Amino acid sequence: MKSNLDPITVKVLWDRFVSIVDEATVAQHRTAFSTVVREANDFACSLLDTRAGTLANSQYGLPSFVSTQAITLQHMLKVFPLESLHPRDVLVTNDPWIGTGQAMDITILSPIFRGGDPIAFAGSVAHSPELGGAQRWNRSVDVYEEALRIPPMKLYDAGRPNQTLHDTIRHNSRLPDLTIGDLEAQLAAVHLTTTRLLEVMDEYEMEDLEDLVAQIYGRSEAAMREAIEAMPNGVYEAEVWSDSFPDPLAEGDQLASEPIRIHVTVSVDGRDLLVDFGGSSPQQPGSFNSVWTFSTAYAAYALRTILVPLLPNNAGFYRPLSIQCPEGTVVNARFPAPTLSRHVIGHQVCDAIFASLAPVIPEKVLAASGSCPVWDLLLMGDDESGRAYHRLILVNGGGGASAHQDGYTVAFPGNFSNTPVEVMESVMPLLWECKEVVIDSAGGGRRRGGFGQRMACTGLRDIGYSLINGRVKFPPPGLLGGRPGRVGRVVIDGSELLPGSDGRLGAGERLILETPGGGGIGPPLEREPSYVIKDVQEGLISLGHAEDVYGMIIDPTTWSWIPKPPRLR
Amino acid sequence: MAYRIGVDIGGTFTDLVLADGRGKVHLAKTPSNPADPPVAVRAGLDELAQAVGLTRGELLVETDLILHGTTVALNTLLRHDGAQVGLLCTKGFRDSVEIRLGYKEERLDRAYAAPRVLVPRRLRLPVEERVSKEGDVLIPIKLEDVRRNVQDFRREGVESVAVCFLWSFMNPEHERRAGTLVQELLPAAHVYLSVDVSPQIREYDRTSTTVVAAYIGPTVDRYISRIEDFVRLEGYQGELRYVQSNGGIAAADAVLKRPAVLVKSGPSSGPTAGLFFSRHFDIDNIVTIDMGGTSFDTCLVRDGLPDVIPSSDVTRYRLSIPTVNVNTIGAGGGSIAWIEAGLLRVGPQSAEAEPGPACYMRGGTKPTVTDANVVLGYFNQQALLGGKFPINAEASFRAVEENIANPLGLDVTQAALSIHNLVNRNMANAIQEISLERGHDPRDYTMVVGGGSGGAHAWSLAQALGIEKVLIPKLASTFCAVGALAADLRHDYGVSYTRRIEDVDFERVNDAFKGMEDEGRRELLAEGVHAENVMVQRRMELRYIHQIYEVPVSVPNRRFQVDDVPMLVELFHDEHERLYTYCDRQESCELINLGITVTGKLPTVRLRRGAVRSNGVKEGPPPTRDVFFEEFGEWRPVPIYGGLRFPTKKALLGPAIIEEPTTTIVVVPGCHIALEPNGIYVMELGGRHGG
């Protein structure tokens, strides 16, 4: 078959590139050793062009990982210029500032050669099982405490392993076999991407990807610009307030700062869009700091879900975007700040973008999610038979409302899965007494948010915990007159914990987690009254909530209602 | 004569296949009648009876087994018209079917709605009780709660009750007492206990499965009564059996106890059908494809064993029911071609049977895959279904021209070819998902083709995947009915017992296996299977300590003791390595579930020479029609064979079109095709078949 780039060939090849990285993703998933990769899907694969643009990425990868690989490659090419590379070179780094924002993630990139010339790169990034560090998850004071630092290096030089680096990684990991095993899985994925790309190019008799890249990026860029152009020109601003977190250097539980502000200005100018996070709070002493790569990735993700939600991701979408994250702020902490909990701040970038554009494109935004940030609960100790366990549980809150849908209990923007109560009880000395939605926790609105969940358990033995959470003080805001969701809370034997706490749950002590509800959209008084009545009938909201938020005094015997005076509906 | 009849009732067509016990097979295809399914069955029976020279009544008297695949359960879920369900659950856990697992299936779709919950919250009512993970009673059941909740159920008109308590599979007593009391207080209600439906760890999965059972149960019950009444009234005295999601069949009683086993009845027959055909060639590594009007189903069979997975999501509801792993995508003859961002897309939306492709002239104006095949000359230009169904080729041309060719600046031929190629690419991706992405190279497999639209795409699809041999039975369009006909009885049982392998109490394991095996044998005996035809397979589902997902491992069929631990652990490592390419032999593992499959073998059906009707060779060269093949890059006259006149055992080199009464086979240039006397076309790469 001849390579002629009619729209059909472009579409077929584009689909095949997505299939190639999907296949590589599955290969990495199947061959990975660690459960983080295998079960939390904390990894992604990409195909990139030689100018460091993303050509295709796996459909199941985390939003952040799929776009940071391009940034990593840009930096790699400064250290290792394109013309200096050889076939079967593999470049590696875990530097948060040119990678995923967290030192636990390893990015590898390998040039793909055809006819003696590099024509593309295969990439893979994965959360490593163990890379050393002080293991004070939410208490690290700088990046040196968080993991071994791997600067941009060659892991393989023309196919020859860099033994020094392999040994260094192995000797700096508490789980050397798992860590090296997962790195091998990344290599398998990169090799598969390389092989498959060359097969497709053979089939279509393609010498290089130049034409095709131009076509794919051009079409994606045009679609993005068209969507931007459909918005009115203007400068749109919003801020979201995040809880602040304990100061790792302080004695006891003291918050590091005043609340954290994430401020964004979005300028729509014809077919261009400028995002500026100027005005955000200064960087934090603890690990609750995002890095520009990660903040940019989530900002772009939010914009893509608004503007072109259905088209596969590639560099074309980023061309009309300019995203600025001032250095020294919480969205772009300066080296050597600790950044292990960067997602707590980074996820909330989405809420800020949605809020800024809500007045202009109310149909397309989401109110803030109670799972933004998602809650990570790390539990560790010895079980009944004296064996050690170490389990990470992800607990989501209520999703935000959209113009057409109520929110529900879901993990947005991360897309993690909950652990069933019976599984938790089977592997840890805990007895759960409930897992239910939190009544009245959803933010009211024409469309309401999703409900948070309430989970309570009793420790059967002493259990160590470490909690990375948020939205305990500042609720997930509503949009366009919608109310915020209810804040979350964490209580041990009657006393409330600060966000980002760690400590011990003693045997017989009771832990209560209540995750935040999602924000609502539109004025609650505009909600269709039958929906309010249905929520009361279902026991999701109380009669008092219906009256306070929706202005409806409902008679629970006849289900008739009258407006609450003196308001008019 | 002892006839056996397979019946597959789908949304569009009702397919019947009759085997006569001497290796001859007949098929009938009639339009479904969703309002009253037996109407279509009656018409099909008439057609079959005519084919064997009997009346319908005579045929039924001489038939001893009817095997039935039905979409009634799936349609109830799709249409959301199941029973009003009430759920009794452990106090504190009423929301698990609402919270689900907390993720969105479509992550990029910002406004992706929550699935409709099958039981409203006001009918999910708590009962005070608690059992520990060991099965000890921590809080005795408060039957007063059950009584009070049943009053609510009665007031709300609940007709079906699901009961699911935490850890009930470790100690079912609370569930059983609650169930008995509900039945006493609401004698007309259907009652389903999670320990009967899916006695396995993970409360969300178990609750969801039990709720689905309760939701579809009354509908399934009514449907089965309707079908049974119908065949009895027609004078049928033999057995009626149902195809389950696991691909095996079961009697009505077994199905009614666990109605969720019917959810994939129908498509689950694909692998059985594929094996039925491939075994005539001693092939048991196959990929089955079934391309109908709206969807494309594909499944991998390795070493004669279909891929059966322990749980799956069906229309977004979690079902912990062993199910044949059929990958379904929206690609069929009715799939609509459309344009997004200046690029062509095909499906997943379908024109369905109404209005159907543009050429049907029933009001459809959107171009479909069928229209593209008409434009390219692959399909007959006057009528489909062997002349029974007139079409308008001009309408296909216009639909492709106006909606695809003009906007994309292509000529109509190019546009139609693009639609044909793109739907092939979508289907190839679906096959890669179940083969390459699971570590199986499709080049090691033979493709077996089913569905009315399969024959037009099979060879291109096989080439895209590097598959070298394709089997297309004349019975392709009634694929699942054939699968039903060829299936064995099968029941799966499972129970959770979670322990580190070194802490396992093997007496308990042995008792559990024995209990499940006894129940399976009882069930098969009731279905008329003699002990010598019963096969039992045991499995343990194991995982490494920190994993979330367990791996099913086949274990020997005998009693176990502590000394067996190293052997069991080795089996687990090996299976883990086979599935995931690695294992960690230093690590220990934990047991999660015990499972048993009992199979009751039925006498095998085999196709003989002349198995499928054929009228012999007609003298003289076949007529031709202008057809466009990409390989030629131009229109050329191509021979058109009526399927009933195609010579057997004589290889023919493409290009050619074979028009079977219920399917059209496109023989691409360079492809060899031969018809075996048993009614199966074999396609191979030119030069391989001695041609």
Side-chain angles (χ1 to χ4, degrees):
Chain A
M1 193 185 294
K2 282 276 168 292
S3 153
N4 60 351
L5 291 181
D6 58 88
I8 310 304
T9 310
V10 171
K11 172 64 180 163
V12 168
L13 286 169
W14 191 351
D15 283 355
R16 291 196 68 173
F17 290 168
V18 174
S19 307
I20 287 171
V21 278
D22 278 346
E23 192 187 336
T25 302
V26 174
Q28 182 169 342
H29 190 252
R30 288 181 67 244
T31 49
F33 273 59
S34 73
T35 53
V36 179
V37 168
R38 290 227 17 240
E39 278 137 10
N41 282 329
D42 207 349
F43 73 107
C45 300
S46 285
L47 179 63
L48 304 106
D49 71 63
T50 49
R51 284 186 285 274
T54 304
L55 185 49
N57 63 249
S58 43
Q59 299 181 69
Y60 312 105
L62 291 182
S64 48
F65 287 7
V66 300
S67 45
T68 57
Q69 288 174 64
I71 297 171
T72 310
L73 182 56
Q74 283 164 24
H75 284 263
M76 285 290 191
L77 289 176
K78 288 180 197 156
V79 183
F80 303 101
L82 191 59
E83 49 284 3
S84 74
L85 294 176
H86 306 289
R88 303 178 66 212
D89 276 351
V90 178
L91 311 175
V92 64
T93 186
N94 73 337
D95 185 333
W97 281 270
I98 61 171
T100 69
Q102 201 200 60
M104 292 301 293
D105 298 327
I106 298 181
T107 303
I108 68 167
L109 293 152
S110 176
I112 303 174
F113 279 75
R114 186 171 178 82
D117 294 318
I119 46 125
F121 281 85
S124 159
V125 55
H127 187 102
S128 182
E130 230 300 324
L131 279 178
Q135 286 201 306
R136 290 150 42 93
W137 292 80
N138 44 11
R139 295 269 169 146
S140 47
V141 300
D142 60 29
V143 70
Y144 298 103
E145 279 198 3
E146 297 186 322
L148 168 73
R149 286 174 47 72
I150 307 170
M153 291 182 87
K154 282 192 179 177
L155 185 63
Y156 284 81
D157 191 353
R160 280 188 311 278
N162 176 345
Q163 204 53 50
T164 313
L165 182 54
H166 272 100
D167 291 347
T168 306
I169 293 173
R170 182 172 277 284
H171 282 80
N172 276 279
S173 172
R174 295 179 181 89
L175 299 168
D177 290 342
L178 286 190
T179 301
I180 296 293
D182 274 13
L183 204 49
E184 299 285 340
Q186 286 187 262
L187 285 169
V190 159
H191 287 153
L192 191 65
T193 304
T194 305
T195 311
R196 290 281 184 262
L197 177 70
L198 294 175
E199 282 172 9
V200 170
M201 292 180 73
D202 280 346
E203 187 181 328
Y204 284 81
E205 296 176 12
M206 299 168 77
E207 290 312 310
D208 58 51
L209 298 173
E210 296 287 312
D211 281 4
L212 188 64
V213 164
Q215 284 274 350
I216 292 178
Y217 293 177
R219 284 170 190 281
S220 305
E221 179 182 353
M224 189 75 167
R225 289 200 189 277
E226 213 171 285
I228 294 170
E229 201 172 21
M231 290 194 286
N233 279 342
V235 177
Y236 309 104
E237 233 181 299
E239 62 184 17
V240 293
W241 288 92
S242 165
D243 299 350
S244 55
F245 301 92
D247 183 344
L249 296 172
E251 288 294 310
D253 281 341
Q254 270 183 51
L255 292 180
S257 68
E258 294 299 299
I260 298 168
R261 180 186 196 227
I262 299 169
H263 179 262
V264 69
T265 309
V266 177
S267 312
V268 178
D269 180 9
R271 293 158 69 82
D272 291 292
L273 200 145
L274 175 83
V275 177
D276 185 348
F277 287 102
S280 298
S281 291
Q283 71 185 62
Q284 302 289 301
S287 68
F288 295 82
N289 285 308
S290 188
V291 172
W292 75 276
T293 51
F294 192 82
S295 304
T296 301
Y298 269 101
Y301 174 67
L303 288 168
R304 220 158 60 76
T305 67
I306 292 173
L307 297 171
V308 285
L310 297 175
L311 289 173
N313 187 42
N314 65 69
F317 295 113
Y318 303 96
R319 287 182 178 165
L321 304 181
S322 159
I323 300 172
Q324 289 168 10
C325 306
E327 251 199 303
T329 65
V330 74
V331 295
N332 187 11
R334 265 197 199 93
F335 177 81
T339 63
L340 269 184
S341 306
R342 50 87 166 98
H343 54 283
V344 172
I345 300 300
H347 282 174
Q348 296 184 60
V349 161
C350 293
D351 288 343
I353 301 240
F354 288 139
S356 69
L357 292 175
V360 255
I361 42 170
E363 298 290 298
K364 294 185 173 180
V365 295
L366 282 178
S369 162
S371 303
C372 185
V374 72
W375 287 21
D376 303 338
L377 177 63
L378 192 63
L379 295 169
M380 62 217 111
D382 295 332
D383 67 14
E384 295 90 335
S385 45
R387 295 192 188 92
Y389 62 88
H390 198 263
R391 297 263 176 177
L392 177 65
I393 291 161
L394 303 167
V395 191
N396 50 263
S402 68
H404 304 289
Q405 304 283 353
D406 288 343
Y408 51 106
T409 311
V410 73
F412 181 87
N415 205 19
F416 306 104
S417 176
N418 292 167
T419 307
V421 163
E422 287 172 351
V423 170
M424 289 192 276
E425 289 191 355
S426 74
V427 297
M428 292 180 286
L430 284 170
L431 187 70
W432 291 91
E433 66 190 60
C434 68
K435 174 176 166 142
E436 289 185 307
V437 301
V438 183
I439 308 308
D440 294 340
S441 64
R446 191 186 320 114
R447 298 287 175 182
R448 60 157 171 75
F451 293 86
Q453 42 177 326
R454 176 187 165 89
M455 298 175 67
C457 68
T458 305
L460 301 177
R461 300 167 62 86
D462 271 15
I463 296 172
Y465 67 84
S466 181
L467 185 66
I468 299 180
N469 64 335
R471 298 240 170 263
V472 166
K473 194 159 191 317
F474 288 89
L479 288 177
L480 303 165
R483 300 271 186 103
R486 184 189 283 178
V487 290
R489 60 186 197 125
V490 183
V491 180
I492 288 186
D493 262 14
S495 48
E496 295 214 11
L497 303 188
L498 292 176
S501 296
D502 40 25
R504 295 200 80 72
L505 177 70
E509 284 186 329
R510 189 154 168 266
L511 166 71
I512 303 171
L513 300 168
E514 279 180 18
T515 56
I521 279 196
L525 292 184
E526 291 179 9
R527 185 165 174 80
E528 162 64 39
S530 66
Y531 294 178
V532 178
I533 292 169
K534 183 161 178 283
D535 279 349
V536 175
Q537 289 171 335
E538 289 290 286
L540 290 167
I541 64 174
S542 62
L543 287 168
H545 186 83
E547 184 176 335
D548 294 346
V549 176
Y550 297 101
M552 292 170 62
I553 299 174
I554 298 170
D555 178 342
T557 52
T558 62
W559 299 112
S560 61
W561 65 279
I562 50 165
K564 177 184 173 187
R567 276 193 185 144
L568 298 173
R569 287 184 68 102
Chain B
M1 180 81 59
Y3 292 114
R4 199 194 286 190
I5 299 175
V7 181
D8 187 66
I9 304 186
T12 318
F13 285 107
T14 294
D15 297 337
L16 284 83
V17 175
L18 174 141
D20 70 359
R22 287 192 305 221
K24 251 194 184 315
V25 177
H26 301 270
L27 68 85
K29 201 170 185 69
T30 57
S32 287
N33 185 332
D36 193 16
V39 172
V41 178
R42 187 182 292 127
L45 286 171
D46 280 336
E47 225 176 282
L48 292 179
Q50 203 182 358
V52 294
L54 298 173
T55 65
R56 187 171 77 231
E58 287 165 353
L59 171 66
L60 284 173
V61 167
E62 292 195 21
T63 300
D64 58 10
L65 187 56
I66 296 178
L67 304 130
H68 178 26
T70 168
T71 49
V72 64
L74 182 60
N75 284 342
T76 305
L77 277 181
L78 287 170
R79 287 196 303 254
H80 285 290
D81 58 1
Q84 177 75 279
V85 176
L87 170 70
L88 296 180
C89 53
T90 304
K91 188 179 167 197
F93 298 91
R94 71 195 295 198
D95 291 324
S96 60
V97 287
E98 181 139 349
I99 295 171
R100 307 170 77 228
L101 293 171
Y103 65 86
K104 292 201 289 195
E105 294 90 332
E106 297 292 334
R107 66 179 311 157
L108 273 180
D109 184 351
R110 62 181 179 265
Y112 192 62
R116 191 145 106 192
V117 180
L118 298 177
V119 48
R121 193 167 195 268
R122 62 177 195 281
L123 295 175
R124 303 195 300 259
L125 298 178
V127 174
E128 197 167 312
E129 69 86 39
R130 186 68 148 89
V131 166
S132 76
K133 64 174 167 179
E134 311 290 345
D136 301 330
V137 173
L138 300 177
I139 302 172
I141 183 167
K142 203 166 147 195
L143 289 171
E144 194 38 47
D145 286 356
V146 177
R147 284 196 192 91
R148 197 188 51 245
N149 293 337
V150 166
Q151 283 173 15
D152 285 9
F153 290 166
R154 187 178 288 124
R155 197 175 50 243
E156 297 258 8
V158 163
E159 45 178 330
S160 193
V161 177
V163 186
C164 184
F165 294 153
L166 282 187
W167 295 106
S168 59
F169 56 92
M170 292 302 290
N171 178 351
E173 169 155 358
H174 284 178
E175 265 188 21
R176 297 228 180 272
R177 288 176 65 189
T180 308
L181 184 54
V182 171
Q183 198 70 83
E184 222 176 274
L185 298 169
L186 285 178
H190 292 245
V191 179
Y192 301 92
L193 308 184
S194 83
V195 283
D196 294 331
V197 173
S198 174
Q200 310 223 330
I201 189 167
R202 292 189 174 98
E203 72 281 357
Y204 162 67
D205 298 41
R206 197 169 67 250
T207 310
S208 171
T209 310
T210 313
V211 166
V212 168
Y215 188 72
I216 63 177
T219 309
V220 167
D221 196 341
R222 282 191 293 274
Y223 177 86
I224 286 181
S225 303
R226 176 82 186 91
I227 291 284
E228 303 250 345
D229 287 352
F230 161 72
V231 292
R232 298 303 169 211
L233 273 174
E234 295 280 331
Y236 179 60
Q237 305 283 325
E239 307 286 358
L240 187 52
R241 300 279 183 256
Y242 299 87
V243 178
Q244 309 171 88
S245 299
N246 64 16
I249 54 174
D253 285 349
V255 168
L256 291 175
K257 227 183 331 178
R258 303 195 292 169
V261 300
L262 276 194
V263 168
K264 279 293 182 91
S265 174
S268 65
S269 287
T272 322
L275 279 172
F276 169 75
F277 294 115
S278 70
R279 284 196 166 142
H280 290 79
F281 302 86
D282 295 323
I283 293 170
D284 57 6
N285 283 327
I286 59 173
V287 173
T288 63
I289 66 163
D290 187 346
M291 184 184 183
T294 45
S295 63
F296 171 81
D297 293 330
T298 180
C299 187
L300 194 84
V301 180
R302 197 170 148 270
D303 299 332
L305 297 175
D307 184 15
V308 176
I309 48 176
S311 79
S312 54
D313 288 330
V314 178
T315 66
R316 301 179 71 194
Y317 300 111
R318 175 59 54 93
L319 281 179
S320 283
I321 295 282
T323 299
V324 172
N325 187 17
V326 178
N327 195 14
T328 300
I329 62 166
S335 292
I336 295 170
W338 52 293
I339 292 172
E340 182 194 43
L343 296 173
L344 179 66
R345 295 191 62 172
V346 179
Q349 300 88 338
S350 165
E352 320 233 334
E354 292 293 337
C359 63
Y360 283 15
M361 297 304 285
R362 287 181 181 164
T365 54
K366 293 176 176 163
T368 63
V369 170
T370 293
D371 291 309
N373 288 334
V374 169
V375 169
L376 293 168
Y378 298 159
F379 283 178
N380 191 292
Q381 305 291 294
Q382 279 81 43
L384 302 176
L385 289 179
K388 276 199 237 168
F389 190 90
I391 57 159
N392 182 335
E394 179 57 28
S396 290
F397 188 91
R398 273 199 313 275
V400 174
E401 180 178 43
E402 284 164 18
N403 296 283
I404 305 297
N406 291 346
L408 291 181
L410 300 171
D411 69 40
V412 176
T413 304
Q414 279 177 318
L417 186 66
S418 304
I419 294 170
H420 182 87
N421 286 345
L422 193 56
V423 78
N424 285 348
R425 177 39 52 193
N426 293 345
M427 293 189 288
N429 285 346
I431 296 173
Q432 279 178 349
E433 282 172 19
I434 55 158
S435 54
L436 274 177
E437 294 187 7
R438 292 171 71 97
H440 307 293
D441 189 338
R443 287 175 297 191
D444 301 335
Y445 289 75
T446 296
M447 181 181 284
V448 187
V449 180
S453 305
H457 297 265
W459 185 251
S460 304
L461 200 48
Q463 279 189 306
L465 295 159
I467 291 176
E468 294 179 350
K469 192 183 199 117
V470 177
L471 306 180
I472 309 180
K474 279 173 174 270
L475 298 168
S477 75
T478 52
F479 206 57
C480 286
V482 172
L485 191 74
D488 290 319
L489 290 146
R490 170 175 169 151
H491 300 290
D492 295 299
Y493 304 90
V495 63
S496 286
Y497 174 54
T498 57
R499 279 288 180 290
R500 289 198 183 223
I501 191 77
E502 53 269 29
D503 297 346
V504 164
D505 172 358
F506 282 97
E507 277 317 298
R508 187 166 182 157
V509 167
N510 292 327
D511 289 351
F513 272 135
K514 180 157 190 321
M516 291 189 286
E517 182 171 336
D518 288 350
E519 192 183 340
R521 286 180 182 277
R522 255 198 313 277
E523 201 115 57
L524 288 177
L525 191 65
E527 290 167 328
V529 179
H530 293 295
E532 68 268 22
N533 291 327
V534 173
M535 264 172 40
V536 179
Q537 291 162 282
R538 293 182 174 191
R539 68 189 167 270
M540 291 186 180
E541 295 176 10
L542 299 151
R543 66 182 184 196
Y544 289 117
I545 306 296
H546 289 290
Q547 286 182 318
I548 296 176
Y549 298 111
E550 49 274 7
V551 170
V553 178
S554 293
V555 296
N557 209 354
R558 61 166 170 81
R559 295 181 66 80
F560 296 105
Q561 49 193 22
V562 177
D563 298 350
D564 290 320
V565 167
M567 180 270 297
L568 294 170
V569 172
E570 275 311 293
L571 285 176
F572 167 67
H573 288 318
D574 292 346
E575 184 63 11
H576 199 276
E577 184 164 29
R578 196 183 71 74
L579 282 173
Y580 300 114
T581 70
Y582 77 93
C583 63
D584 185 351
R585 293 187 192 272
Q586 316 308 315
E587 270 287 319
S588 181
C589 59
E590 57 193 345
L591 175 63
I592 304 298
N593 295 315
L594 303 171
I596 263 193
T597 298
V598 294
T599 310
K601 295 293 287 177
L602 292 178
T604 314
V605 178
R606 253 188 108 79
L607 297 169
R608 295 283 141 76
R609 169 175 283 274
V612 185
R613 194 158 57 111
S614 149
N615 292 352
V617 188
K618 196 184 183 188
E619 292 304 316
T624 63
R625 170 165 83 221
D626 278 355
V627 175
F628 190 92
F629 280 111
E630 194 171 13
E631 286 75 2
F632 295 144
E634 61 177 16
W635 290 86
R636 284 193 193 173
V638 161
I640 310 295
Y641 292 88
L644 298 182
R645 301 219 166 80
F646 194 86
T648 54
K649 270 298 182 191
K650 190 170 159 232
L652 178 141
L653 183 65
I657 305 287
I658 303 170
E659 293 181 353
E660 280 284 334
T662 56
T663 190
T664 297
I665 300 171
V666 174
V667 190
V668 174
C671 163
H672 260 102
I673 189 160
L675 175 61
E676 294 293 322
N678 55 18
I680 301 172
Y681 289 95
V682 182
M683 279 189 182
E684 283 172 298
L685 205 58
R688 276 177 186 276
H689 201 269

